[in-house]
Amino acid sequence: MTEQGDRWTAEQVLALAPDVASRKAGGRLGGPGPWSQTGGSASGAVWGLCKGSGSTPYRTVVDLTGPAYKCSCPSRKFPCKHALGLLLLWAAEGLGEPGQAPDWAGEWLAGRAAKAARPAGGPAKPVDEEAARRRAERRAARVGAGVGELEQRLSDLLRGGLAGQEQTGYAGWEETAARMVDAQAPGLAARVRELGTIPSCGPGWPARMLEEAALLHLLDRAWLGVSALPEPLAATVRNRVGIPGASGEGEAVRDRWLVLSQYDSVSADGRLTTRRIWLRGLGSGRPALVLDFGPPGRPPGLALPVGLVLEAEARFRPGSAGLRADLGERFAAATPCAQAPAGVSTEAALEAYGAALREDPWLDSWPVVLGPVVPIPGELGWQLADVEGTSALPVALAGGRSRSGLWQLAALSGGGPVTVFGECGHRGFTPLTAWQPDTPEPVALV
């Protein structure tokens, strides 16, 4: 289909798997045995027939520009094991010279191309500006009432002291969060829920709870005075409260985007899986955060393997410190990056995070590529030190992640320098992806 240098690695293919079972099943279909009539096109598609338990083989096609998948099997997983197996076969051996897709694959690919060519959203509908203004005013009033109630709750917390919060339990905070949802302030509700879980987080929880309560108070006061704030900061406040701008309002940037990291987190109630995908524009150098969500029992639909480069348009949302973006049109199939990204010193990483805090005081972390750095153990935990030994950042394992990624990083380094991508915040640096010297292949640490 494409030249050898453009094919993905097996690790990048398996990163698309929705679960461990799919990884194992796809791996068993990654050889030529069950496949027939395989092929690929120069535009970035692969296809083939996979023998199953029945008399009719499964028809499988993958559009690498998405990636997107179509298979005649009954599986509800995306990608299914047949799509994963086909991609593994292509990654290992290639599928010969580019050719024309069979009718069953070509029909689906043509439908995708036609859909991409249509203007998004269709004809614009007339907007009743007066009605929209009234709705915004009603919501602002409800949010304001919720903010006043939350401020009273925080005052009661400080007046009564933090010592009894371990015995008080979470139920009171969940009730307050529900009140914020009623006030149409989901951002405040999420922060209240997080505040309520802190007393069960182990040693040092009082200091952390005080920090989070202070940030929540700052957000409340910012909302009450949002009309007097500069527009970029006002947009940030609205976004943090839970009133984000429309996805089509921000700046559109076309670039070749390197996938730096992809990982999932599950909400405390188990009802929502959030996938965070970090990108960096190879031309602009701009970071971008793409979010996707999945309901209970199903992973998010968007999957971008670490180390691939996709040429696409990213539209950045206002009020998100210039990070949150939505991927738009993609112009070519994703290909592996030819080299590891350039890193900066630990001092430069802290400066970048500090600059971002001026735009968004509630920002937990900032995406940074460090390098070259050496992971070293210390009395208070692991650190990532510049090779000159002049400065270092403590390693933070956020969100209750296991230490396996840290041991993997230490083994990858072997006491030598590595390049590491991660999130730099006030609690330290959370490593997500690493590269050894002189190799473009990334190693995912989460």
Side-chain angles (χ1 to χ4, degrees), residues 101-402:
D103 291 343
W104 56 268
E107 182 179 351
W108 179 73
L109 293 169
R112 280 183 52 80
K115 183 178 180 180
R118 289 197 296 267
K125 297 181 180 180
V127 178
D128 187 338
E129 295 185 359
E130 179 60 25
R133 182 187 64 80
R134 289 196 299 268
R135 287 194 299 271
E137 288 179 350
R138 288 195 297 268
R139 181 171 187 180
R142 283 193 287 268
V143 172
V147 165
E149 187 174 342
L150 179 55
E151 281 291 276
Q152 183 61 51
R153 180 74 169 88
L154 293 175
S155 297
D156 293 343
L157 170 68
L158 297 181
R159 188 177 298 110
L162 303 180
Q165 286 300 305
E166 284 184 299
Q167 289 73 37
T168 302
Y170 178 74
W173 293 109
E174 178 58 37
E175 181 182 349
T176 303
R179 298 286 294 172
M180 295 305 104
V181 172
D182 293 341
Q184 294 186 290
L188 292 179
R191 298 189 77 93
V192 167
R193 289 191 176 100
E194 182 178 355
L195 186 67
T197 63
I198 292 177
S200 60
C201 290
W205 70 264
R208 184 182 172 194
M209 190 169 197
L210 188 60
E211 291 173 2
E212 294 300 326
L215 287 171
L216 191 51
H217 170 67
L218 179 65
L219 184 55
D220 288 345
R221 302 307 301 175
W223 171 260
L224 295 175
V226 68
S227 61
L229 297 176
E231 180 49 37
L233 183 56
T236 295
V237 171
R238 289 191 291 268
N239 183 68
R240 290 293 181 181
V241 166
I243 312 177
S247 59
E249 291 181 355
E251 176 188 7
V253 179
R254 177 174 175 174
D255 205 336
R256 296 179 65 243
W257 298 96
L258 169 62
V259 184
L260 291 170
S261 176
Q262 173 182 289
Y263 67 91
D264 295 348
S265 59
V266 181
S267 62
D269 57 11
R271 297 178 181 176
L272 184 69
T273 298
T274 301
R275 175 162 294 166
R276 298 168 67 88
I277 302 176
W278 284 111
L279 308 175
R280 175 196 263 187
L282 295 181
S284 63
R286 184 168 183 173
L289 174 62
V290 178
L291 299 181
D292 197 22
F293 305 93
R298 295 192 63 180
L302 180 63
L304 297 176
V306 176
L308 292 188
V309 176
L310 58 153
E311 184 176 357
E313 181 181 86
R315 185 170 293 276
F316 287 85
R317 296 192 180 193
S320 58
L323 287 178
R324 177 77 187 277
D326 299 292
L327 282 179
E329 183 179 359
R330 305 181 196 183
F331 304 97
T335 57
C337 189
Q339 61 184 14
V344 300
S345 67
T346 56
E347 183 178 352
L350 289 175
E351 290 177 356
Y353 178 50
L357 283 175
R358 290 197 292 269
E359 298 185 25
D360 184 353
W362 302 274
L363 190 67
D364 289 327
S365 60
W366 183 258
V368 176
V369 178
L370 289 179
V373 291
V374 179
I376 56 174
E379 294 181 1
L380 300 179
W382 284 79
Q383 297 179 322
L384 293 175
D386 293 328
V387 290
E388 296 85 1
T390 55
S391 61
L393 285 174
V395 172
L397 298 178
R401 299 193 186 105
S402 92

